[in-house]
Amino acid sequence: MLLEAQEKLSNNKTGVFIKWAESLGIKKDNAYRYINRYKYIVAIRDNITVAKVESLPFSLSYEIAKDSVPQSIREKVINGEIKTIKEFRSELKEIKNKAEEVIQEAEIVENYEEKIKIQFEVVVNALSKAEEVKCYNKENLEILLKIQGLLEKIK
């Protein structure tokens, strides 16, 4: 009912839906929670899972209906491994912390890769210069040997 009302009344962009919901005693945040929970339940194809979600405390079902919640946490809630909001928030925080750690590790690896790339370029440049010097010295040696040969002929 709320979703249908929202679809019909929110097209006006004048806050009519919220005014209507509040006239029924439903606060704005709760109206959107109810709608998101409903959309989530409708999207579930498995009747057993629907029954499990519908049997959850509303606070937990609102939370797992959010798009930002990882599927792994949803499954833990639905399977009864997470039973309270406190457990839910703790698990969510733990996953976010792990994700941040992975991101930090990736940034460190990326920094090392960049440093290695720079060092590699330095080594390649140094080798290239050494090759040039080697060629230069070889040419000088050949010239010196020619001069020496000419000097010996002059003697």
Side-chain angles (χ1 to χ4, degrees):
M1 178 172 143
L2 282 176
L3 180 60
E4 289 177 35
Q6 180 197 27
E7 290 170 352
K8 290 179 181 175
L9 298 175
S10 66
N11 292 336
N12 299 326
K13 307 279 186 213
T14 58
V16 174
F17 167 70
I18 294 303
K19 290 176 187 171
W20 174 80
E22 288 175 344
S23 74
L24 298 174
I26 302 171
K27 294 181 181 177
K28 175 183 175 180
D29 290 342
N30 286 339
Y32 289 115
R33 283 187 191 116
Y34 296 145
I35 291 169
N36 286 338
R37 180 179 182 270
Y38 173 76
K39 285 179 179 179
Y40 177 69
I41 290 172
V42 167
I44 299 171
R45 302 274 183 230
D46 175 18
N47 289 337
I48 295 171
T49 304
V50 169
K52 287 180 180 180
V53 171
E54 287 179 336
S55 70
L56 291 171
F58 279 112
S59 57
L60 270 177
S61 63
Y62 296 145
E63 293 298 325
I64 67 169
K66 293 179 182 176
D67 291 335
S68 61
V69 174
Q71 186 61 29
S72 61
I73 293 182
R74 283 188 182 122
E75 290 171 4
K76 286 182 178 182
V77 171
I78 292 168
N79 293 329
E81 296 171 51
I82 296 174
K83 295 179 177 91
T84 65
I85 283 291
K86 185 178 179 179
E87 291 173 345
F88 173 84
R89 289 187 178 139
S90 175
E91 185 76 16
L92 189 60
K93 185 176 181 180
E94 189 176 314
I95 286 180
K96 286 181 180 179
N97 288 342
K98 285 180 184 177
E100 287 174 8
E101 288 175 15
V102 168
I103 289 169
Q104 288 173 349
E105 289 174 8
E107 288 172 350
I108 290 169
V109 168
E110 191 174 287
N111 288 338
Y112 279 131
E113 286 176 350
E114 187 62 31
K115 287 178 183 178
I116 289 170
K117 187 187 280 185
I118 290 168
Q119 289 300 317
F120 180 75
E121 288 174 10
V122 167
V123 169
V124 168
N125 287 336
L127 288 173
S128 176
K129 286 180 183 177
E131 188 66 31
E132 288 173 13
V133 169
K134 177 183 163 191
C135 290
Y136 176 75
N137 286 340
K138 185 178 179 184
E139 288 174 12
N140 284 348
L141 179 62
E142 289 173 3
I143 292 170
L144 288 174
L145 289 174
K146 285 181 184 178
I147 292 172
Q148 185 181 10
L150 290 174
L151 288 175
E152 286 178 5
K153 286 181 184 178
I154 294 176
K155 288 184 186 176

